[in-house]
Amino acid sequence: MSYDPQNIFAKILRGDAPCIKVCESEHTLAFMDVMPQSEGHVLVVPKEAAANIHDVSDEALAACMRTVKRVAAAVREALKPEGMLIAQFNGAAAGQTVEHIHVHIIPRWSDVPLKAHGRERADDARLEALAQRIRAALQAE
Ligand code: 5GP
């Protein structure tokens, strides 16, 4: 798949579009999903310009998964979910809507149904409050 530098995550990485940041490293960025499937839904992207798992370098993917593990632990500490769904989609047929590779961190509670994928825009103040709790857990590591 060719990489479109105008995709929304490329714009976020360039600073051309806003995001509610959770953490940033040399090779990755983690930020709140604006249409979360549950409270505390975070996205992690490698900074490398790659559309999907077939295009991304081993190094960028490894860095991304290190950040996923670190952020998932912070989400667990901050929000105390009963489980954690980690997902990554490749191609429209698989449900991918943004063509910059990303990993979903979706905390789950057994009595809270999963919301539809990329459907309902969340309130920014609510997302910021959740991000603050997750950032605090990262700082307490
Ligand atoms: P995909 O379907 O490609 O796996 O997931 C894309 C995700 O990006 C969806 O969960 C959707 O809610 C989220 N998303 C789409 N546009 C934006 C945006 O502008 N900012 C943020 N933070 N998330 C977005």
Side-chain angles (χ1 to χ4, degrees):
M1 193 189 289
S2 65
Y3 184 80
D4 174 9
Q6 295 311 318
N7 76 73
I8 184 63
F9 295 169
K11 289 182 181 171
I12 287 172
L13 283 165
R14 285 198 299 272
D16 291 344
C19 75
I20 296 176
K21 194 186 288 190
V22 171
C23 66
E24 183 167 9
S25 70
E26 185 182 356
H27 298 296
T28 66
L29 179 68
F31 51 95
M32 303 307 289
D33 193 307
V34 290
M35 290 171 273
Q37 290 187 257
S38 77
E39 288 259 297
H41 183 165
V42 179
L43 299 170
V44 180
V45 301
K47 292 182 179 177
E48 183 173 279
N52 58 41
I53 192 113
H54 308 297
D55 298 343
V56 71
S57 71
D58 289 355
E59 293 74 20
L61 185 61
C64 185
M65 292 313 289
R66 274 194 295 275
T67 298
V68 167
K69 188 173 182 192
R70 183 169 172 249
V71 172
V75 169
R76 187 162 72 147
E77 179 62 27
L79 307 181
K80 307 281 192 282
E82 294 167 7
M84 189 83 67
L85 172 62
I86 306 291
Q88 191 272 316
F89 305 137
N90 300 282
Q96 185 177 13
T97 58
V98 179
E99 292 184 354
H100 180 108
I101 185 169
H102 52 279
V103 178
H104 298 261
I105 298 173
I106 306 175
R108 295 299 316 274
W109 292 263
S110 54
D111 59 346
V112 182
L114 195 63
K115 286 190 189 166
H117 183 67
R119 201 68 63 77
E120 190 186 329
R121 182 72 168 82
D123 176 56
D124 275 349
R126 181 74 194 133
L127 293 177
E128 177 55 34
L130 288 160
Q132 272 177 22
R133 290 168 64 188
I134 300 165
R135 288 194 293 260
L138 284 167
Q139 277 165 12
E141 275 176 341

